[in-house]
């Protein structure tokens, strides 16, 4: 069936502009408001990457178990950087959805690092879903020797960011520019009316970044016996 819908030139131009845009305006607004926090995030994340790198240097390329732990841990760190970048570029929904994977990845890395658990082997055989990692981390926190409060923090964050994984009232609101009366906004943008919510999320992400070096240290410690 032929498409009989007409294309409005101004809307086609709007979509093309968004697809080809470098998002400089939104990026500049976020940077002006949260530039200091971005530096703090970068410093904490680089410390975590340093711990991971030291661990990676000890991994024998023939040791598949350690290799999997290393790969999962790096992916979690890498996705965390990408998620923060998306947030600071005005893509809050895409950022939140990816951050959910970060929380799964952190939990999965800890689970895979424990020699006595079967998660690593099951994951390697494609019989374990990372969707279960956060809840399983709570079940096995004593074996992994992870702080109980840290697990609760992960669980709380995971429950919140689950809203970004599906169409929800939160994702709908993210596309509405409240400072302009709630009009829909195509693509990336900075909404001054949401600064308080932005600040809460930035604070939470920086707090997580600051504990990532300790988490990577625990991953490396547990995985040393694999």
């Amino acid at each position: 069936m032929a498409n009989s819908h007409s294309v409005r030139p101004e809307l086609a131009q709007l979509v093309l502009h968004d697809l080809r845009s470098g998002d400089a305006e939104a990026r500049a607004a976020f940077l002006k408001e949260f530039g200091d926090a971005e530096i703090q995030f970068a410093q904490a994340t680089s410390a975590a990457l340093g711990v991971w790198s030291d661990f990676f240097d000890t991994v024998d390329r023939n040791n598949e178990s350690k290799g999997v732990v290393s790969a999962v841990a790096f992916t979690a760190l890498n996705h965390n950087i990408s998620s923060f970048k998306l947030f600071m570029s005005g893509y809050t929904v895409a950022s939140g959805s990816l951050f959910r994977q970060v929380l799964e990845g952190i939990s999965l890395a800890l689970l895979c690092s424990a020699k006595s658990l079967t998660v690593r082997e099951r994951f390697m055989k494609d019989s374990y879903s990372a969707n279960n990692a956060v809840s399983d981390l709570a079940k096995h926190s004593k074996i992994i020797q992870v702080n109980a409060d840290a697990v609760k923090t992960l669980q709380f964050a995971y429950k919140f960011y689950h809203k970004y994984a599906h169409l929800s009232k939160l994702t709908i609101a993210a596309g509405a520019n409240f400072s302009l009366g709630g009009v829909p906004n195509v693509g990336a943008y900075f909404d001054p009316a949401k600064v308080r919510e932005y600040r809460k999320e930035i604070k939470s992400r920086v707090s997580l970044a600051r504990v990532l070096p300790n988490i990577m240290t625990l991953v490396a410690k547990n995985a040393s016996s694999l």
Side-chain angles (χ1 to χ4, degrees):
M1 180 181 294
N3 189 343
S4 59
H5 300 295
S6 60
V7 175
R8 292 171 57 179
E10 70 276 14
L11 294 181
Q13 188 59 38
L14 177 67
V15 174
L16 277 174
H17 178 269
D18 181 62
L19 291 174
R20 296 172 178 175
S21 171
D23 307 312
E25 185 176 341
R27 172 69 181 159
F30 273 94
L31 191 60
K32 181 179 180 181
E33 192 71 39
F34 305 113
D36 290 344
E38 185 177 66
I39 293 173
Q40 294 169 22
F41 176 88
Q43 291 174 337
T45 303
S46 65
L49 279 170
V51 176
W52 173 86
S53 182
D54 290 342
F55 167 58
F56 180 73
D57 288 342
T58 69
V59 176
D60 185 332
R61 299 304 178 264
N62 294 318
N63 188 325
E64 188 176 22
S65 294
K66 279 189 177 181
V68 169
V69 174
S70 172
V72 172
F74 175 78
T75 301
L77 292 175
N78 197 31
H79 282 181
N80 195 34
I81 295 169
S82 297
S83 176
F84 196 86
K85 181 178 180 180
L86 284 168
F87 187 90
M88 290 290 290
S89 299
Y91 292 102
T92 55
V93 174
S95 172
S97 181
L98 185 57
F99 191 66
R100 185 170 176 268
Q101 286 192 41
V102 172
L103 299 172
E104 290 178 348
I106 292 169
S107 302
L108 183 60
L110 287 165
L111 288 164
C112 287
S113 71
K115 187 174 183 178
S116 61
L117 297 179
T118 62
V119 172
R120 183 181 60 261
E121 290 82 0
R122 289 156 57 200
F123 180 74
M124 291 164 65
K125 294 177 181 178
D126 296 323
S127 61
Y128 182 85
S129 173
N131 287 334
N132 301 317
V134 176
S135 60
D136 284 346
L137 180 63
K139 295 176 185 177
H140 303 296
S141 59
K142 290 185 179 180
I143 293 175
I144 300 169
Q145 297 183 337
V146 63
N147 183 277
D149 289 336
V151 175
K152 290 180 181 178
T153 300
L154 279 174
Q155 287 179 305
F156 180 81
Y158 191 65
K159 183 177 180 180
F160 174 77
Y161 283 98
H162 183 71
K163 299 175 183 178
Y164 283 106
H166 308 282
L167 197 150
S168 64
K169 288 186 289 185
L170 180 64
T171 59
I172 292 172
N177 193 326
F178 290 175
S179 63
L180 297 178
V183 298
N185 194 96
V186 173
Y189 74 108
F190 177 88
D191 186 349
K194 297 174 183 172
V195 168
R196 186 164 64 176
E197 286 72 23
Y198 291 157
R199 186 170 290 113
K200 288 179 182 178
E201 186 155 351
I202 287 283
K203 183 179 179 180
S204 175
R205 288 169 180 255
V206 171
S207 295
L208 175 67
R210 285 174 173 160
V211 301
L212 282 178
N214 291 336
I215 291 175
M216 290 299 110
T217 297
L218 180 57
V219 168
K221 177 184 176 182
N222 288 343
S224 63
S225 62
L226 296 178

